[in-house]
């Protein structure tokens, strides 16, 4: 097979992951050597010193096996045996491989380590049936999933055990992951968000390493036959429905290495075309169970788009245009918004932020849309935003702004506890890291340049804080206050806008240490200094829109402050 044909077979999301890795290869290898190696060494020390781990939870590992390459199977099993945490059992089901070499390898391991259990099916039943048979062997309180050709990091189960000890009612636990390419080269790291429901409905962000409370698996009936290829996504969707957000824990460490080879989904979604079909059915089932009116479809990046049904489009939406816009620009923006409307009654409001708040107190509008004059690029921008904000848990929705070249101007904010913030994916064209520049997801904050909010929420919060000189920090502060009250802030790339030249476009943070800048920083830290942005990885630079790995930030967030379990203080 030619190199060109192989490249064409790569799924677009994983192709983006590999491309990002190539661009940042030195960065990832440096991160592994300078940060991860030090972190694993510390975890080895923890495993010997933490007395709680001697009687820690038993973790069962489920591994379905069917005609694997011997060297890959051996590597997978050896990665389990090399775990720093020893209270585990490996439950393997051979799905009637009819392979003497496979049988010999499995029998050898089962005979030499009583923690390894093997069962063989009398007939081939595919991955869901084989996984369920492996589940019958499990005695552990928690169950981890491992494919026959993948590898666990040596501290994987230790980190899981520490989470269970810290969060006794945890239901689902997952970690960051990467890919193993040719010559066992680690590439394509996916440094994930903390639990992010709307991102999870866009792609399987739990995936590997996925760990589930065994009683939860029993309640949902294990894996469903008929969803092969996306059986783990279907399982996770059913499990998260029975958990609250606090019970779904993200470990911000690369604990799973997903092997890429000619037959793997990691390299090529086209190798298994039934995968996407099963995922769409699983996602549709999930929405039905949650009584959410929506449709689902595949995206060009092999992820998923949920089209949430909009409420009555005859409802009234107040539109607030940036007060600093020139009159001509304001008129042009009003015409553009009205022309791209979908039978919704738009009421335009002008005035200062304080005056707008007073007007909205007595407005009959259910929602308020804030704009900096950016022009919508499609007629369904408002339908898209209304469909999302009409969900019971969503209080604010942000859109995507691009420039004339198609580069991202705004796609939401990331922020750290010191008040530094990042315009996500700025100047990126296309999918971005792990496809997240084109996926509906929750974020810490979105821009008031194209923001839809519930009117009663905006009024109850007192609108935007007028004390901030930096409007971005005012946006972030407003979104943080909404999140503190339990509302989700969601960003969608499908409400797409072009930032016009005369609009106050997104600018970099002020670099000079002026009194006003320092005052804004101090004000933000006083209010939010203990809150981390769980939607943005602790391993990525807060100063690089291209999402570059930052070993120094990794070290500051983990080695210098606990175990790096992702259990730091966050907005409730």
């Amino acid at each position: 097979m030619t190199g060109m044909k192989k490249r064409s077979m790569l799924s677009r999301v994983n192709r983006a992951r590999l491309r990002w890795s190539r661009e940042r290869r030195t960065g990832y290898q440096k991160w592994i050597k300078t940060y991860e190696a030090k972190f694993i060494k510390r975890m080895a020390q923890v495993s010997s010193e933490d007395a709680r781990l001697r009687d820690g939870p038993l973790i069962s590992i489920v591994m379905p096996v069917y005609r694997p390459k011997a060297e890959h199977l051996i590597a997978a099993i050896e990665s389990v045996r090399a775990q720093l945490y020893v209270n585990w059992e490996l439950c393997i089901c051979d799905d009637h491989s009819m392979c003497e070499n496979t049988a010999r390898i499995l029998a050898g391991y089962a005979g030499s380590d009583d923690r390894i259990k093997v069962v063989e099916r009398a007939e081939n039943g595919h991955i869901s049936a084989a996984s369920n048979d492996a589940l019958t062997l499990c005695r552990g309180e928690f169950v981890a999933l491992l494919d026959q050709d993948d590898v666990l990091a040596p501290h994987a189960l230790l980190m899981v055990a520490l989470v269970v000890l810290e969060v006794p009612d945890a239901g689902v636990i997952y970690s960051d992951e990467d890919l193993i390419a040719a010559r066992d080269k680690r590439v394509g790291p996916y440094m994930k968000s903390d639990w992010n429901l709307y991102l999870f409905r866009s792609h399987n962000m739990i995936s590997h390493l996925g760990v589930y409370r065994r009683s939860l698996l029993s309640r949902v009936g294990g894996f469903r036959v008929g969803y092969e290829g996306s059986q783990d996504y279907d399982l996770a969707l059913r499990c998260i429905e029975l958990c609250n957000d606090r019970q779904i824990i993200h470990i911000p460490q690369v604990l799973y290495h997903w092997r890429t080879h000619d037959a793997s989904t990691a390299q090529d979604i086209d190798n298994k075309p039934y995968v996407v079909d099963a995922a769409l059915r699983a996602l549709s089932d999930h929405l039905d169970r949650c009584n959410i009116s929506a449709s689902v479809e595949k995206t060009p990046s092999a992820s998923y788009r949920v089209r949430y049904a909009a409420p009555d489009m005859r409802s009234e939406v107040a539109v607030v245009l940036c007060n600093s816009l020139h009159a001509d620009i304001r008129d042009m923006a009003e015409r553009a918004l009205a022309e791209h409307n979908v039978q919704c009654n738009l009421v335009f409001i002008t005035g200062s932020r304080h005056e707008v708040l007073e007007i909205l107190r007595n407005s009959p509008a259910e929602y308020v849309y804030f704009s900096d004059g950016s022009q919508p690029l499609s007629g369904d921008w408002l339908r898209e935003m209304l469909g999302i904000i009409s969900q019971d848990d969503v209080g604010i929705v942000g859109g995507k702004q691009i420039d004339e070249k198609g580069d991202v101007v705004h796609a939401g904010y990331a922020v750290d506890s010191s008040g530094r913030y990042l315009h996500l994916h700025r100047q990126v064209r296309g999918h971005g890291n792990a496809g997240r520049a084109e996926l509906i997801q929750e974020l810490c904050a979105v821009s008031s340049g194209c923001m839809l909010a519930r009117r009663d929420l905006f009024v109850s919060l007192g609108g935007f804080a007028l004390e901030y000189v930096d409007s971005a920090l005012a946006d972030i502060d407003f979104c943080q206050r909404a999140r503190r009250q339990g509302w989700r802030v969601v960003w969608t790339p499908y409400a797409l806008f072009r930032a016009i030249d005369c609009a106050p476009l997104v600018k970099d943070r002020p670099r000079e240490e002026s009194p006003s800048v320092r005052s804004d920083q101090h004000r933000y830290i006083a209010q939010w200094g203990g809150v981390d942005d769980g939607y943005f990885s602790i391993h990525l630079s807060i100063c690089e829109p291209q999402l570059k790995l930052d070993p120094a930030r990794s070290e500051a967030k983990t080695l210098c402050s606990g175990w790096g379990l992702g259990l730091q203080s966050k907005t409730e």
Side-chain angles (χ1 to χ4, degrees), residues 453-521:
R454 293 176 182 263
R455 185 202 63 86
D456 56 353
L457 173 63
F458 181 77
V459 171
S460 69
L461 293 176
F464 299 101
L466 302 179
E467 297 84 0
Y468 284 103
V469 175
D470 186 342
S471 61
L473 279 179
D475 293 345
I476 294 168
D477 169 79
F478 173 65
C479 291
Q480 292 278 42
R481 285 183 282 131
R483 292 179 58 233
R484 185 170 57 188
Q485 290 194 2
W487 294 101
R488 300 185 194 272
V489 176
V490 178
W491 176 82
T492 174
Y494 303 111
L496 185 62
F497 302 85
R498 176 173 290 121
I500 58 177
D501 292 339
C502 297
L505 300 180
V506 174
K507 298 178 180 179
D508 290 328
R509 297 181 301 280
R511 297 183 182 276
E512 68 279 2
E513 287 296 318
S514 66
S516 61
V517 171
R518 289 195 298 271
S519 177
D520 274 357
Q521 291 283 335

Side-chain angles (χ1 to χ4, degrees), residues 405-424:
K405 298 180 293 183
D407 294 340
V408 171
V409 172
H410 187 83
Y413 296 107
V415 63
D416 70 8
S417 55
S418 68
R420 294 182 302 171
Y421 60 84
L422 175 70
H423 298 288
L424 289 167

Side-chain angles (χ1 to χ4, degrees), residues 339-374:
E339 289 171 1
H340 287 83
N341 183 23
V342 280
Q343 300 176 351
C344 198
N345 184 22
L346 300 183
V347 178
F348 291 90
I349 297 176
T350 59
S352 67
R353 287 194 164 184
H354 176 73
E355 292 169 337
V356 165
L357 177 62
E358 294 305 312
I359 294 172
L360 289 174
R361 290 188 191 277
N362 301 308
S363 170
E366 187 173 0
Y367 304 104
V368 54
Y369 175 72
F370 297 94
S371 172
D372 63 4
S374 297

Side-chain angles (χ1 to χ4, degrees), residues 228-230 265 268-279 298:
E228 285 76 14
S230 288
T265 310
D268 177 16
I269 200 72
D270 293 329
N271 283 327
K272 301 178 180 179
Y274 57 88
V275 169
V276 172
D277 175 67
K298 175 185 174 182

